[in-house]
Short mmCIF file of all heavy atoms in Angstrom, two decimals:
data_model
loop_
_atom_site.label_atom_id
_atom_site.label_comp_id
_atom_site.label_asym_id
_atom_site.label_seq_id
_atom_site.Cartn_x
_atom_site.Cartn_y
_atom_site.Cartn_z
N CYS A 1 184.47 175.36 145.70
CA CYS A 1 184.02 176.54 146.44
C CYS A 1 184.10 176.33 147.95
O CYS A 1 183.69 177.19 148.73
CB CYS A 1 182.59 176.90 146.06
SG CYS A 1 182.47 177.51 144.37
N GLY A 2 184.58 175.16 148.37
CA GLY A 2 184.83 174.93 149.78
C GLY A 2 183.73 174.20 150.53
O GLY A 2 183.77 174.14 151.76
N TYR A 3 182.76 173.64 149.82
CA TYR A 3 181.70 172.89 150.50
C TYR A 3 182.09 171.41 150.59
O TYR A 3 182.81 170.89 149.75
CB TYR A 3 180.38 173.01 149.72
CG TYR A 3 179.85 174.41 149.68
CD1 TYR A 3 180.06 175.22 148.57
CD2 TYR A 3 179.15 174.95 150.76
CE1 TYR A 3 179.57 176.52 148.52
CE2 TYR A 3 178.66 176.25 150.72
CZ TYR A 3 178.88 177.03 149.60
OH TYR A 3 178.41 178.31 149.57
N ARG A 4 181.56 170.75 151.62
CA ARG A 4 181.64 169.28 151.67
C ARG A 4 180.48 168.79 150.82
O ARG A 4 179.37 169.29 150.95
CB ARG A 4 181.43 168.77 153.10
CG ARG A 4 182.62 168.96 154.00
CD ARG A 4 182.40 168.15 155.29
NE ARG A 4 183.19 168.72 156.36
CZ ARG A 4 182.74 169.57 157.27
NH1 ARG A 4 181.48 169.96 157.27
NH2 ARG A 4 183.53 170.03 158.20
N VAL A 5 180.73 167.78 150.00
CA VAL A 5 179.69 167.33 149.08
C VAL A 5 179.51 165.82 149.14
O VAL A 5 180.49 165.08 149.10
CB VAL A 5 180.01 167.75 147.62
CG1 VAL A 5 178.92 167.29 146.66
CG2 VAL A 5 180.19 169.26 147.52
N HIS A 6 178.26 165.39 149.26
CA HIS A 6 177.90 163.98 149.08
C HIS A 6 177.09 163.92 147.79
O HIS A 6 176.43 164.89 147.42
CB HIS A 6 177.03 163.48 150.24
CG HIS A 6 177.75 163.48 151.56
ND1 HIS A 6 178.67 162.52 151.89
CD2 HIS A 6 177.70 164.33 152.61
CE1 HIS A 6 179.14 162.77 153.11
NE2 HIS A 6 178.57 163.88 153.55
N GLU A 7 177.12 162.76 147.14
CA GLU A 7 176.39 162.61 145.88
C GLU A 7 175.46 161.41 145.96
O GLU A 7 175.81 160.39 146.55
CB GLU A 7 177.37 162.41 144.72
CG GLU A 7 178.30 163.59 144.51
CD GLU A 7 179.34 163.30 143.44
OE1 GLU A 7 178.98 162.74 142.38
OE2 GLU A 7 180.52 163.62 143.66
N ALA A 8 174.29 161.55 145.34
CA ALA A 8 173.34 160.45 145.25
C ALA A 8 172.72 160.46 143.86
O ALA A 8 172.53 161.53 143.27
CB ALA A 8 172.25 160.59 146.31
N VAL A 9 172.37 159.27 143.36
CA VAL A 9 171.78 159.18 142.02
C VAL A 9 170.26 159.09 142.07
O VAL A 9 169.61 159.17 141.05
CB VAL A 9 172.33 157.97 141.22
CG1 VAL A 9 173.82 158.11 141.00
CG2 VAL A 9 171.99 156.66 141.89
N SER A 10 169.70 158.92 143.27
CA SER A 10 168.25 158.77 143.38
C SER A 10 167.79 159.26 144.75
O SER A 10 168.60 159.42 145.67
CB SER A 10 167.85 157.31 143.22
OG SER A 10 168.37 156.56 144.32
N ALA A 11 166.48 159.45 144.89
CA ALA A 11 165.93 159.85 146.19
C ALA A 11 166.20 158.78 147.23
O ALA A 11 166.52 159.07 148.38
CB ALA A 11 164.44 160.13 146.05
N ALA A 12 166.08 157.51 146.84
CA ALA A 12 166.31 156.41 147.78
C ALA A 12 167.74 156.45 148.31
O ALA A 12 167.97 156.31 149.52
CB ALA A 12 166.02 155.07 147.11
N GLU A 13 168.70 156.66 147.43
CA GLU A 13 170.10 156.74 147.87
C GLU A 13 170.31 157.98 148.74
O GLU A 13 171.03 157.94 149.74
CB GLU A 13 171.03 156.78 146.65
CG GLU A 13 172.50 156.71 147.04
CD GLU A 13 173.46 156.74 145.87
OE1 GLU A 13 173.01 156.78 144.70
OE2 GLU A 13 174.68 156.74 146.12
N ALA A 14 169.67 159.09 148.38
CA ALA A 14 169.78 160.32 149.17
C ALA A 14 169.28 160.09 150.60
O ALA A 14 169.92 160.52 151.57
CB ALA A 14 168.98 161.44 148.51
N ILE A 15 168.16 159.38 150.74
CA ILE A 15 167.60 159.13 152.07
C ILE A 15 168.54 158.25 152.89
O ILE A 15 168.73 158.50 154.09
CB ILE A 15 166.18 158.52 151.95
CG1 ILE A 15 165.22 159.62 151.48
CG2 ILE A 15 165.71 157.93 153.28
CD1 ILE A 15 163.83 159.13 151.10
N LEU A 16 169.17 157.27 152.25
CA LEU A 16 170.15 156.44 152.97
C LEU A 16 171.29 157.31 153.52
O LEU A 16 171.71 157.15 154.66
CB LEU A 16 170.73 155.36 152.06
CG LEU A 16 169.79 154.20 151.72
CD1 LEU A 16 170.44 153.27 150.69
CD2 LEU A 16 169.41 153.43 152.98
N ILE A 17 171.76 158.25 152.70
CA ILE A 17 172.84 159.15 153.14
C ILE A 17 172.34 160.05 154.27
O ILE A 17 173.01 160.23 155.29
CB ILE A 17 173.36 159.99 151.95
CG1 ILE A 17 174.08 159.08 150.95
CG2 ILE A 17 174.29 161.12 152.43
CD1 ILE A 17 174.41 159.73 149.61
N LEU A 18 171.13 160.61 154.12
CA LEU A 18 170.58 161.51 155.14
C LEU A 18 170.34 160.79 156.47
O LEU A 18 170.39 161.41 157.53
CB LEU A 18 169.27 162.13 154.63
CG LEU A 18 169.43 163.16 153.51
CD1 LEU A 18 168.11 163.41 152.80
CD2 LEU A 18 170.00 164.46 154.06
N GLN A 19 170.08 159.49 156.43
CA GLN A 19 169.82 158.73 157.65
C GLN A 19 171.10 158.22 158.31
O GLN A 19 171.06 157.78 159.45
CB GLN A 19 168.91 157.52 157.34
CG GLN A 19 167.49 157.95 157.04
CD GLN A 19 166.61 156.76 156.64
OE1 GLN A 19 167.04 155.85 155.94
NE2 GLN A 19 165.37 156.78 157.08
N ALA A 20 172.23 158.30 157.60
CA ALA A 20 173.49 157.80 158.17
C ALA A 20 173.88 158.66 159.37
O ALA A 20 173.94 159.89 159.25
CB ALA A 20 174.59 157.82 157.11
N PRO A 21 174.12 158.04 160.53
CA PRO A 21 174.39 158.83 161.74
C PRO A 21 175.67 159.67 161.64
O PRO A 21 175.77 160.71 162.27
CB PRO A 21 174.51 157.77 162.84
CG PRO A 21 174.67 156.47 162.14
CD PRO A 21 174.10 156.61 160.76
N GLU A 22 176.62 159.23 160.81
CA GLU A 22 177.89 159.97 160.73
C GLU A 22 177.84 161.12 159.72
O GLU A 22 178.80 161.86 159.57
CB GLU A 22 179.04 159.01 160.38
CG GLU A 22 179.04 158.48 158.95
CD GLU A 22 178.08 157.30 158.71
OE1 GLU A 22 177.33 156.91 159.63
OE2 GLU A 22 178.10 156.78 157.58
N VAL A 23 176.71 161.28 159.04
CA VAL A 23 176.59 162.32 158.01
C VAL A 23 175.64 163.40 158.49
O VAL A 23 174.54 163.11 158.96
CB VAL A 23 176.08 161.72 156.68
CG1 VAL A 23 175.88 162.81 155.64
CG2 VAL A 23 177.04 160.66 156.15
N SER A 24 176.06 164.65 158.35
CA SER A 24 175.18 165.77 158.66
C SER A 24 175.10 166.64 157.40
O SER A 24 176.11 167.16 156.94
CB SER A 24 175.77 166.57 159.82
OG SER A 24 175.03 167.74 159.99
N VAL A 25 173.91 166.76 156.83
CA VAL A 25 173.73 167.50 155.58
C VAL A 25 172.98 168.80 155.88
O VAL A 25 171.96 168.80 156.55
CB VAL A 25 172.93 166.65 154.55
CG1 VAL A 25 172.57 167.47 153.33
CG2 VAL A 25 173.75 165.42 154.14
N ASP A 26 173.53 169.92 155.39
CA ASP A 26 172.89 171.23 155.58
C ASP A 26 171.88 171.53 154.48
O ASP A 26 170.82 172.11 154.73
CB ASP A 26 173.95 172.34 155.59
CG ASP A 26 174.95 172.14 156.72
OD1 ASP A 26 174.51 172.12 157.88
OD2 ASP A 26 176.15 171.97 156.44
N ILE A 27 172.25 171.16 153.24
CA ILE A 27 171.41 171.50 152.09
C ILE A 27 171.32 170.30 151.15
O ILE A 27 172.33 169.67 150.84
CB ILE A 27 172.01 172.70 151.32
CG1 ILE A 27 172.03 173.95 152.21
CG2 ILE A 27 171.22 172.98 150.03
CD1 ILE A 27 172.80 175.11 151.64
N VAL A 28 170.10 170.01 150.71
CA VAL A 28 169.89 169.01 149.67
C VAL A 28 169.64 169.77 148.38
O VAL A 28 168.73 170.60 148.30
CB VAL A 28 168.69 168.09 150.01
CG1 VAL A 28 168.38 167.17 148.83
CG2 VAL A 28 168.95 167.29 151.27
N PHE A 29 170.48 169.50 147.36
CA PHE A 29 170.33 170.11 146.04
C PHE A 29 169.91 168.98 145.12
O PHE A 29 170.70 168.10 144.79
CB PHE A 29 171.66 170.72 145.59
CG PHE A 29 171.58 171.39 144.24
CD1 PHE A 29 171.07 172.67 144.12
CD2 PHE A 29 171.99 170.72 143.10
CE1 PHE A 29 170.96 173.27 142.86
CE2 PHE A 29 171.90 171.32 141.85
CZ PHE A 29 171.39 172.61 141.73
N SER A 30 168.63 168.95 144.74
CA SER A 30 168.10 167.79 144.03
C SER A 30 167.38 168.13 142.74
O SER A 30 166.64 169.10 142.66
CB SER A 30 167.12 167.05 144.96
OG SER A 30 166.54 165.95 144.28
N ASP A 31 167.59 167.25 141.77
CA ASP A 31 166.79 167.31 140.54
C ASP A 31 165.38 166.85 140.90
O ASP A 31 165.19 166.10 141.85
CB ASP A 31 167.41 166.38 139.50
CG ASP A 31 166.79 166.55 138.12
OD1 ASP A 31 166.10 167.56 137.89
OD2 ASP A 31 167.02 165.68 137.26
N VAL A 32 164.40 167.30 140.15
CA VAL A 32 163.02 166.87 140.37
C VAL A 32 162.78 165.53 139.68
O VAL A 32 162.28 164.59 140.27
CB VAL A 32 162.02 167.93 139.86
CG1 VAL A 32 160.61 167.36 139.85
CG2 VAL A 32 162.08 169.17 140.74
N GLU A 33 163.16 165.44 138.40
CA GLU A 33 162.91 164.22 137.64
C GLU A 33 164.02 163.21 137.87
O GLU A 33 165.16 163.43 137.47
CB GLU A 33 162.82 164.51 136.13
CG GLU A 33 161.64 165.34 135.74
CD GLU A 33 161.90 166.84 135.85
OE1 GLU A 33 163.07 167.24 135.83
OE2 GLU A 33 160.93 167.60 135.98
N MET A 34 163.66 162.11 138.54
CA MET A 34 164.64 161.06 138.80
C MET A 34 163.97 159.70 138.66
O MET A 34 162.77 159.58 138.88
CB MET A 34 165.21 161.17 140.21
CG MET A 34 166.12 162.35 140.41
SD MET A 34 166.83 162.34 142.06
CE MET A 34 165.41 162.72 143.06
N PRO A 35 164.76 158.68 138.30
CA PRO A 35 164.19 157.34 138.22
C PRO A 35 163.88 156.82 139.61
O PRO A 35 164.39 157.34 140.60
CB PRO A 35 165.31 156.52 137.57
CG PRO A 35 166.56 157.25 137.92
CD PRO A 35 166.18 158.70 137.99
N GLY A 36 163.04 155.80 139.69
CA GLY A 36 162.72 155.22 140.99
C GLY A 36 161.34 155.64 141.45
O GLY A 36 160.62 156.36 140.75
N GLU A 37 160.97 155.18 142.63
CA GLU A 37 159.62 155.42 143.12
C GLU A 37 159.41 156.85 143.60
O GLU A 37 158.29 157.32 143.69
CB GLU A 37 159.31 154.45 144.28
CG GLU A 37 159.19 153.02 143.81
CD GLU A 37 158.86 152.07 144.93
OE1 GLU A 37 158.37 152.51 145.99
OE2 GLU A 37 159.11 150.87 144.75
N MET A 38 160.48 157.54 143.98
CA MET A 38 160.35 158.88 144.54
C MET A 38 161.09 159.89 143.67
O MET A 38 162.23 159.68 143.30
CB MET A 38 160.93 158.89 145.96
CG MET A 38 160.69 160.18 146.71
SD MET A 38 161.49 160.19 148.34
CE MET A 38 160.45 159.07 149.26
N ASP A 39 160.41 161.01 143.36
CA ASP A 39 161.08 162.08 142.61
C ASP A 39 161.61 163.13 143.58
O ASP A 39 161.56 162.95 144.80
CB ASP A 39 160.14 162.69 141.57
CG ASP A 39 158.91 163.36 142.19
OD1 ASP A 39 158.83 163.48 143.44
OD2 ASP A 39 158.03 163.78 141.42
N GLY A 40 162.08 164.24 143.06
CA GLY A 40 162.63 165.30 143.91
C GLY A 40 161.61 165.91 144.86
O GLY A 40 161.93 166.29 145.98
N PHE A 41 160.34 165.97 144.43
CA PHE A 41 159.30 166.51 145.31
C PHE A 41 159.08 165.57 146.49
O PHE A 41 158.93 166.01 147.63
CB PHE A 41 157.98 166.71 144.56
CG PHE A 41 158.06 167.75 143.48
CD1 PHE A 41 157.60 167.47 142.21
CD2 PHE A 41 158.60 169.00 143.74
CE1 PHE A 41 157.69 168.43 141.20
CE2 PHE A 41 158.68 169.96 142.75
CZ PHE A 41 158.23 169.67 141.48
N GLY A 42 159.05 164.27 146.20
CA GLY A 42 158.89 163.29 147.27
C GLY A 42 160.05 163.36 148.25
O GLY A 42 159.85 163.31 149.47
N LEU A 43 161.25 163.53 147.70
CA LEU A 43 162.44 163.66 148.56
C LEU A 43 162.32 164.92 149.42
O LEU A 43 162.60 164.89 150.63
CB LEU A 43 163.71 163.71 147.71
CG LEU A 43 165.01 163.94 148.46
CD1 LEU A 43 165.28 162.84 149.49
CD2 LEU A 43 166.18 164.05 147.49
N ALA A 44 161.88 166.02 148.82
CA ALA A 44 161.74 167.27 149.58
C ALA A 44 160.72 167.10 150.71
O ALA A 44 160.94 167.57 151.83
CB ALA A 44 161.30 168.41 148.64
#
């Protein structure tokens, strides 16, 4: 559909991507239930 897409398997990986200076993310599309210490609500 013409969007640039990054992928993450967990909230921790998502935060690493969001903190990368070369990456600019407009929208986070996240599942709520995820493994790890942080779920989708914590990520939000």
Side-chain angles (χ1 to χ4, degrees):
C1 291
Y3 296 98
R4 284 192 203 97
V5 180
H6 295 283
E7 298 174 43
V9 298
S10 66
E13 186 180 358
I15 288 171
L16 287 174
I17 292 169
L18 289 163
Q19 289 176 322
E22 71 279 4
V23 177
S24 172
V25 172
D26 300 301
I27 297 170
V28 173
F29 181 81
S30 177
D31 190 15
V32 169
E33 293 86 22
M34 289 184 290
E37 291 181 19
M38 187 184 287
D39 63 7
F41 295 130
L43 176 60

